[in-house]
Amino acid sequence: MRDPDFTLAAGPTAASARTLAALGSPITYHYDPAFLEAFRRTEAKVGRVFRTDNEIILMQGEAVLGLEAAARSLVRPGMPVLNLVSGVFGKGMGYWLKGFGADLHELEVPYDEAVDPQAVDQYLTEHPETELLTVVHSETPSGTFNDCSLIGPIARRHGVLTLVDCVSSVGGMAFDADSWQLDVCIAGPQKCLGGPPGMSLMSVSEQAWKAIESNPAAPRASFLSLLDWREQWHGNDHFPYTPSVSDIHGVEAACDQLLEEGLEAAIARHENAAAACRAGVVEMGLRLWPKSEDITAACVTAVAVPDGLDHEAVRSHVREHYGVMLSGGQGAGNLVRIGHMGPTANGVNPVVGLMALGRSLADLGVTVRLGPGVEAALARLADSRQA
Amino acid sequence: MRDPDFTLAAGPTAASARTLAALGSPITYHYDPAFLEAFRRTEAKVGRVFRTDNEIILMQGEAVLGLEAAARSLVRPGMPVLNLVSGVFGKGMGYWLKGFGADLHELEVPYDEAVDPQAVDQYLTEHPETELLTVVHSETPSGTFNDCSLIGPIARRHGVLTLVDCVSSVGGMAFDADSWQLDVCIAGPQKCLGGPPGMSLMSVSEQAWKAIESNPAAPRASFLSLLDWREQWHGNDHFPYTPSVSDIHGVEAACDQLLEEGLEAAIARHENAAAACRAGVVEMGLRLWPKSEDITAACVTAVAVPDGLDHEAVRSHVREHYGVMLSGGQGAGNLVRIGHMGPTANGVNPVVGLMALGRSLADLGVTVRLGPGVEAALARLADSRQA
Amino acid sequence: MRDPDFTLAAGPTAASARTLAALGSPITYHYDPAFLEAFRRTEAKVGRVFRTDNEIILMQGEAVLGLEAAARSLVRPGMPVLNLVSGVFGKGMGYWLKGFGADLHELEVPYDEAVDPQAVDQYLTEHPETELLTVVHSETPSGTFNDCSLIGPIARRHGVLTLVDCVSSVGGMAFDADSWQLDVCIAGPQKCLGGPPGMSLMSVSEQAWKAIESNPAAPRASFLSLLDWREQWHGNDHFPYTPSVSDIHGVEAACDQLLEEGLEAAIARHENAAAACRAGVVEMGLRLWPKSEDITAACVTAVAVPDGLDHEAVRSHVREHYGVMLSGGQGAGNLVRIGHMGPTANGVNPVVGLMALGRSLADLGVTVRLGPGVEAALARLADSRQA
Amino acid sequence: MRDPDFTLAAGPTAASARTLAALGSPITYHYDPAFLEAFRRTEAKVGRVFRTDNEIILMQGEAVLGLEAAARSLVRPGMPVLNLVSGVFGKGMGYWLKGFGADLHELEVPYDEAVDPQAVDQYLTEHPETELLTVVHSETPSGTFNDCSLIGPIARRHGVLTLVDCVSSVGGMAFDADSWQLDVCIAGPQKCLGGPPGMSLMSVSEQAWKAIESNPAAPRASFLSLLDWREQWHGNDHFPYTPSVSDIHGVEAACDQLLEEGLEAAIARHENAAAACRAGVVEMGLRLWPKSEDITAACVTAVAVPDGLDHEAVRSHVREHYGVMLSGGQGAGNLVRIGHMGPTANGVNPVVGLMALGRSLADLGVTVRLGPGVEAALARLADSRQA
């Protein structure tokens, strides 16, 4: 089967030609001095992308590896943990935390809402024994976000460590690990950075390291071990296992492009793409999945699938008839997501997803205002160019 | 720093242009139908490379992930396990097994020898309670191999499951999972397949699945879980987490090239390269690390570093002065390894490593018979062409 | 400056990832046996794409080289030649013919029309001394075509040789060199084949060779010589000069993809893309440049620029504000062309060009029915999918 | 058939991964503003590589196009021209000059020698009517060079224009167009620059332009026209025809790497590679083709084929048995050339060619001192590293 003409999904997203060339560059031995330099350069660049001076760990597996590793490293059996739940990934973190023995407490909202930072403050005031707060910055499956710029400082004020899933936000939404006072952050390269999947980009604060090092349950001598990376690689110039040489080149190239563009510019680009996409969705007569535009993520636009249709059928139709690959909700609900991440948060890309979705819904019998929707999206793009 | 002119290391090895192009091909969403096809095709091809009809699992992290996952999945606390140790990786497996609660027994030989299959048979006869045997087929750090064509059937005869580390042998040395009656096998794509690191290629027999499924300690809901892959992906068409799209393309291309060449031809190619390399080493007046040529692996040639020199200094000199990257012994001893894996097991590649090593030793004050060594290696290559 | 997000121009067109990988594959010596095989395979594949058994010549420069070479090779001073002119390239051929000494006669129509085959028949009946007819199949700058399926047989019936500029038609429009009885045909790889510029794909009939060989003015010992290629390469396995190794790999890959898809399927794909684009243009309230839809080429859609605007300003706006690169008319008039060639004749690509153009015209003060236009184009695509 | 393991030929030479990635980067429309920038940047970089402030013309065909175009542009019928002949390319230039109507005079030496600059001075003193001198800097087929650092100033002193074939010298041998006072220079990217074939890199002095512009025989409105490029592209921002987009990217990348390394460093690298190769040839008991080491080119080492053998048979054997592609003499004699150009003028690459050649000659019955030859070459490399 042919590849799609357009990948406008929720990540892995389409990578730039430059990133692909880096992925296809020669594979060297992982202790080749040129590769050692590249690995260290990449760590430094990830730190700049995270806006942090904390230690950077590049775990060599998809972001789920980093999330599991971080949770296992931080959680002691019996540790009181507050988990914020506003979607599938927040919910999943709770299952892990419980499985790792945490004394789990959750603030949960429906999957089309975000957690209120005030509620977090109140909870932590009432539960001063809490040691760790876990939160998903961008809940990719439902296209919403939790405001970590407020939640981070609240947690710090209460002396609570934070574990932040910023997998799909970094590079496309405002993110500032240090000024937001976040302890452990995990991003994926295959989202707004436009890189390959296969790596966990992580930052770990000194406070977090203290907790991890004193945790007898923290993985050691394991693919899941953060401590191995700290001790063997940062302490001893020795990789715990063979790193993914090609992926490192891809991630470095992705960071280079982002830093050359500038973080602010990249974020504005994602926000404009998202705003255009939302404008089109609404004008087309469709419903945005998130309850309010205030909590929509800039990386994907989640659209409720009209009654009587299933997102799988819609997406298959879009892919088969119009060559565009969109995402579903991964369990968050009957929704379709148009990704605008990395290279696809450029130009008219979001409108491509919009018109393919609109025309497909029309094909499937839904009354959509296709033309006006496309016009509204383009008008929004035109405005952002004028600005 | 410039990349080396030649990567003749112990893996990751240099990949072919075709494999690199596949690695740099467009990244699609992991549920794109074209990618789903590619993933399933790759599983089938890995099965052919392993010569097995067992279920294939492609775990999305370097082979160490697969090894840890397999060991954790199989080992119950208190389970009597026989671990064969003839090198660094065998030794490491023992630490894991013990950590996972096994009742560990080991047959250990010096790291320049191989385990005698007769000793295995005798041990299993004397210890019928043994449930699992773990063995490293090719001990890459020391350039030796254990004869799994004999060990596999012995274990099966005793009703013992086998966990085989064939990370660096598959594709370059005879390997036949089914006729050798091996239960769980883990290979790395970055060795004789000439692919990217970042993936564990695994086969699991029905007997092994039974043991894993009945093991309450087997990882579940984890990056380390084999069961997740079986249940979610093979049972439900759902990936446990985002697979490494680029690496899958690279691994498929590497398998394609191997299968087009033919497994027998590829193995003969590796054996000729290794034989030429060994002939040159000996004629140069250097000492092969393995005690006997009968147990030398076809993927790397391990050379003892002459007294008074350290392998790090030798390798740095080779890299800096002659642009060739070789490997050390990763703890197996004071040795240097010339890799001849995948694309570098072709033509005069092994002699390139040999002459760069020889000239560097001469630079560092060792008396080597450089010219005669090169002549001997080339003569061996000439013979293999005539044959 | 960043590359455009979308290249929807009149060629060079965007190439597929597979073609780009072939272009970036290792460069070998041009007499390497693997390259010699690749060169000959590519000739054979070009022949299949042309649907001809005539000799194939791959001249190593952009199609203009092939056109000039063919004209110089065929034209004797004083030779009576009929040149059909319906656009910029037809006109240019006339200047060449005259410059090379031909006794030039032209049938010329305005650049938004096509030459009537009946007029050709009549001319040749009245001028039996004519020896050569030159015609442009697809007049890319104005988006029209001349019907060579009729003109070819007419010329053959009158004993007149044909020199056919099929640069932008081959691979995207019906083209059948042998059944259309065409003598010398020149195509470019950078149009509907989606390959790199830099090569002239040519077929030459035996009758044409006879004329060329007996022409003392035909270039010899020159970069412009067809005879050098025939005598040295086809006669003696010796290239007249170093061929473009990378381009050959790119052209072979482009032909492979076309032949795997099937010529009919590829042509239908281009026709559907063009039909959708035209439907959108008309519904948007814009004017197609060609006088009648019957003579529109399938590779580009030429749109008249509304009064008061200049195509340069329009195209700059489209490129700068919406990231889409369109083409102008190269002297044919005040028009903008949306290319749908090779990979861009897929899915919703043509609509991307259409909406970027429409929105830009709106930005520049033109009243366009943007939404209805996009709707009409998508409706046409939907119809072609249903069929 | 598989590609060779090593391309150590006389050009096209193996390109670096970075250059190949550039060749495989997306194809844009040739009037895309990003491409226009790239084209102009490439012109400027070629000027720096030539060390000239003269106008740079990038003709879009292999260097033979540039040579023919330059000769046709400069030569008026009856113009007295001195052509220096020391090899195949010098001889070929004479045929062209004569064909274009020059009053041709030649200073010719055997193809294993170089023309004496003193003889040139003497000739020009005796023939003050001479208007043009043509010379090949590096006679690639025979591995020799003519000293243009002396010949250029002699010609200028006599008021004679120079046309210099520096196809294979630029980037690997000292070359200084301005201080050597050279008027028209033509280089190929596929030699010491390690780029793709398919382009003529040219510089043209103001004096040369004057001669060309006043020459009624200079090509106009032709693929062969230098004037078209000057007037249309430099005068009017309009390409005479579609440039080779991919090749431009490849040539720019090749120039970037050369300029980042530094011209002096690159030249020293080529000289060391050549010196090592020559040392090995001699010690092996073979004969260098050039009569004296003083006139050996740094880009290839030409080796006389021992009596009784033919270079074709030798090279086929080397390619088939040892995976190395070498070049023949292209008519200069019974010789084999080991290329060390661009990326292959690094590390032990030249010794790879040497040992494959030596072993093949041994296979074919020649007595060669293979080991000592390899030792001598490596010793020379070791010396150059120490320096």
Side-chain angles (χ1 to χ4, degrees), chain C residues 318-361:
Chain C
V318 176
R319 173 70 167 85
E320 187 186 334
H321 286 246
Y322 303 104
V324 180
M325 188 69 207
L326 303 176
S327 292
Q330 287 191 265
N334 191 24
L335 59 90
V336 166
R337 288 177 294 161
I338 300 170
H340 21 77
M341 289 174 165
T344 64
N346 265 313
V348 294
N349 272 291
V351 195
V352 170
L354 185 72
M355 73 184 180
L357 174 60
R359 179 65 228 182
S360 294
L361 289 172

Side-chain angles (χ1 to χ4, degrees), chain B residues 291-355:
Chain B
K291 233 176 186 165
S292 143
E293 290 217 24
D294 297 348
I295 59 166
T296 53
C299 53
V300 293
T301 295
V303 185
V305 172
D307 291 344
L309 286 176
D310 176 73
H311 75 88
E312 283 285 6
V314 173
R315 290 166 49 226
S316 292
H317 187 97
V318 175
R319 172 70 168 85
E320 188 186 333
H321 286 246
Y322 303 104
V324 179
M325 188 68 208
L326 304 176
S327 292
Q330 288 190 266
N334 191 24
L335 59 89
V336 166
R337 288 178 295 162
I338 300 171
H340 22 76
M341 289 175 165
T344 63
N346 265 313
V348 294
N349 272 291
V351 194
V352 170
L354 184 71
M355 72 183 180

Side-chain angles (χ1 to χ4, degrees), chain A residues 13 31 71 73 121 127 135 148 168 183 187 191 251 257 280 294 321:
Chain A
T13 190
Y31 287 112
S73 295
D121 197 13
H127 299 83
V135 59
C148 289
S168 68
D183 290 298
K191 308 285 185 179
V251 171
Q257 290 162 81
D294 298 348
H321 286 246

Side-chain angles (χ1 to χ4, degrees), chain D residues 187-231:
Chain D
Q190 77 273 30
K191 307 285 185 179
C192 294
L193 273 76
M199 204 166 301
S200 296
L201 316 178
M202 309 177 68
S203 71
V204 186
S205 72
E206 271 312 306
Q207 295 98 307
W209 279 124
K210 261 179 226 147
I212 293 170
E213 280 164 356
S214 66
N215 179 9
R220 291 172 180 267
S222 169
F223 204 82
L224 282 167
S225 174
L226 279 170
L227 289 169
D228 288 1
W229 277 95
R230 172 167 238 210
E231 291 164 14

Side-chain angles (χ1 to χ4, degrees), chain C residues 28-310:
Chain C
T28 58
Y29 188 52
H30 53 307
Y31 287 113
D32 189 279
F35 179 73
L36 295 175
E37 280 182 12
F39 198 96
R40 292 188 180 113
R41 277 196 314 263
T42 306
E43 289 177 327
K45 288 169 187 175
V46 168
R48 292 175 55 200
V49 168
F50 276 42
R51 295 184 186 275
T52 188
D53 293 328
N54 287 336
E55 190 171 346
I56 298 296
I57 300 286
L58 303 181
M59 290 196 87
Q60 305 292 304
E62 198 261 328
V64 158
L65 170 67
L67 290 166
E68 181 182 356
R72 282 187 189 270
S73 295
L74 285 163
V75 173
R76 281 192 332 276
M79 178 191 260
V81 179
L82 174 62
N83 181 41
L84 309 188
V85 180
S86 59
V88 171
F89 277 93
K91 195 71 186 174
M93 177 54 76
Y95 295 133
W96 265 341
L97 294 167
K98 202 157 190 176
F100 307 157
D103 173 16
L104 180 67
H105 300 266
E106 294 191 329
L107 288 180
E108 182 165 356
V109 295
Y111 290 5
D112 53 359
E113 296 184 21
V115 176
D116 180 3
Q118 288 315 105
V120 175
D121 196 13
Q122 187 180 336
Y123 178 91
L124 294 181
T125 304
E126 291 167 2
H127 300 83
E129 71 282 6
T130 308
E131 295 184 36
L132 175 67
L133 178 149
T134 53
V135 58
V136 178
H137 186 210
S138 164
E139 261 292 352
T140 340
S142 31
T144 58
F145 79 99
N146 291 306
D147 190 343
C148 289
S149 75
L150 298 178
I151 293 168
I154 289 168
R156 180 68 56 91
R157 196 152 22 84
H158 289 278
V160 172
L161 290 173
T162 45
L163 189 174
V164 183
D165 170 344
C166 54
V167 170
S168 66
S169 57
V170 167
M173 296 167 63
F175 187 81
D176 196 331
D178 281 3
S179 81
W180 295 2
Q181 305 176 38
L182 308 175
D183 290 299
V184 179
C185 303
I186 302 100
Q190 78 273 30
K191 308 285 184 177
C192 294
L193 273 75
M199 205 166 301
S200 297
L201 316 179
M202 309 178 68
S203 70
V204 186
S205 72
E206 271 313 305
Q207 295 96 309
W209 280 124
K210 261 178 226 148
I212 294 170
E213 280 163 356
S214 67
N215 179 11
R220 291 171 181 267
S222 170
F223 203 82
L224 283 167
S225 175
L226 281 171
L227 290 168
D228 289 2
W229 277 95
R230 172 167 239 211
E231 291 165 13
Q232 294 180 37
W233 170 237
H234 287 161
N236 203 21
D237 295 333
H238 194 84
F239 292 115
Y241 51 85
T242 306
S244 296
V245 175
S246 305
D247 284 353
I248 286 288
H249 293 313
V251 171
E252 183 177 19
C255 289
D256 282 341
Q257 290 162 80
L258 184 56
L259 294 169
E260 289 167 14
E261 178 182 12
L263 290 171
E264 277 80 9
I267 290 163
R269 178 166 55 78
H270 282 80
E271 283 173 354
N272 283 328
C277 201
R278 289 196 305 269
V281 166
V282 169
E283 189 63 31
M284 218 174 253
L286 300 170
R287 188 167 61 77
L288 292 170
W289 177 263
K291 233 176 188 166
S292 144
E293 290 218 23
D294 298 346
I295 60 165
T296 53
C299 53
V300 293
T301 294
V303 185
V305 172
D307 291 343
L309 286 175
D310 177 73

Side-chain angles (χ1 to χ4, degrees), chain B residues 12 31 50 94 99 117 122 138-139 160 185 187 203 237 248 279 340 355 377:
Chain B
Y31 287 112
F50 276 41
Q122 185 180 338
S138 163
E139 261 291 353
V160 173
C185 304
S203 70
D237 293 333
I248 286 288
H340 22 76
M355 72 183 180

Side-chain angles (χ1 to χ4, degrees), chain A residues 325-339:
Chain A
M325 188 69 208
L326 303 176
S327 291
Q330 288 192 265
N334 191 23
L335 59 88
V336 166
R337 289 177 292 161
I338 300 171

Side-chain angles (χ1 to χ4, degrees), chain C residues 1 3-4 9 11-12 20 24-25 29-30 32-34 37 62 68 96 197-198 221-224 241-244 319 325 327, chain D residues 1 3-4 9 11-12 20 24-25 29-30 32-34 37 62 65 68 96 197-198 221-224 241-244 319 325 327:
Chain C
M1 175 180 265
D3 266 9
L20 293 176
S25 65
Y29 188 52
H30 53 307
D32 189 279
E37 280 182 12
E62 198 261 328
E68 181 182 356
W96 265 341
S222 170
F223 203 82
L224 283 167
Y241 51 85
T242 306
S244 296
R319 173 70 167 85
M325 188 69 207
S327 292
Chain D
M1 175 179 265
D3 267 7
L20 293 176
S25 66
Y29 189 52
H30 53 306
D32 189 279
E37 281 182 12
E62 198 260 330
L65 170 68
E68 181 181 355
W96 264 341
S222 169
F223 204 82
L224 282 167
Y241 52 85
T242 305
S244 296
R319 172 70 168 87
M325 188 68 208
S327 291

